[in-house]
């Protein structure tokens, strides 16, 4: 299964907002809409961690899907209410505009035993 990991900055003062939003998607009031979104987009696994760093907190994101380019295009363009909320949330908490379709990170190592 194709997978991608990346890091998003968390804007100053927004860590609790990030934690609350992700919890609401994982096991809270947004869970049903989140799962429907991920099913529509073809995401089979998604995990997020909050990592403190000396320069500020970051969100460490891991995504699996058969067609990763389609996932990110869908996140950028979907007009479904949850997906529009998610884009606004990412812009507010992380300072990233998903609709700009930022290129994926460059993979420089892949080890498997």
């Amino acid at each position: 299964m194709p997978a991608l990991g990346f890091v998003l900055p968390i804007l100053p003062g927004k860590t609790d907002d990030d934690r609350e939003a992700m919890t609401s998607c994982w096991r809270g009031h947004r869970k049903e809409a989140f799962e429907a979104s991920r099913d529509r987009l073809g995401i089979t696994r998604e995990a997020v961690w909050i990592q403190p760093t000396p320069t500020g907190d970051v969100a460490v994101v891991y995504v699996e899907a058969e067609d990763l380019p389609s996932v990110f295009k869908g996140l950028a363009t979907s007009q479904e209410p949850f997906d529009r909320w998610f884009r606004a949330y990412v812009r507010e908490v992380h300072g990233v505009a998903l609709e700009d379709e930022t290129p994926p990170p460059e993979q420089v190592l892949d080890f498997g035993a």
Side-chain angles (χ1 to χ4, degrees), residues 62-83:
Y62 175 82
V63 178
E64 289 180 0
E66 282 299 326
D67 186 352
L68 287 166
S70 290
V71 165
F72 289 98
K73 179 141 183 86
L75 284 169
T77 61
S78 171
Q79 293 305 304
E80 292 293 326
F82 177 87
D83 298 333

Side-chain angles (χ1 to χ4, degrees), residues 3-83:
L4 183 65
F6 56 94
V7 175
L8 292 174
I10 299 176
L11 297 176
K14 296 291 187 177
T15 298
D16 286 340
D17 293 342
D18 195 37
R19 187 177 288 110
E20 181 182 316
M22 292 299 93
T23 299
S24 75
C25 292
W26 186 14
R27 52 184 173 224
H29 70 279
R30 289 188 178 99
K31 180 179 180 175
E32 186 176 313
F34 172 77
E35 289 176 353
S37 167
R38 285 5 194 201
D39 186 53
R40 262 193 323 278
L41 294 168
I43 296 172
T44 56
R45 179 148 192 252
E46 183 173 2
V48 179
W49 296 264
I50 294 175
Q51 175 68 52
T53 76
T55 58
D57 295 342
V58 297
V60 179
V61 182
Y62 175 82
V63 178
E64 289 180 0
E66 282 299 326
D67 186 352
L68 287 166
S70 290
V71 165
F72 289 98
K73 179 141 183 86
L75 284 169
T77 61
S78 171
Q79 293 305 304
E80 292 293 326
F82 177 87
D83 298 333

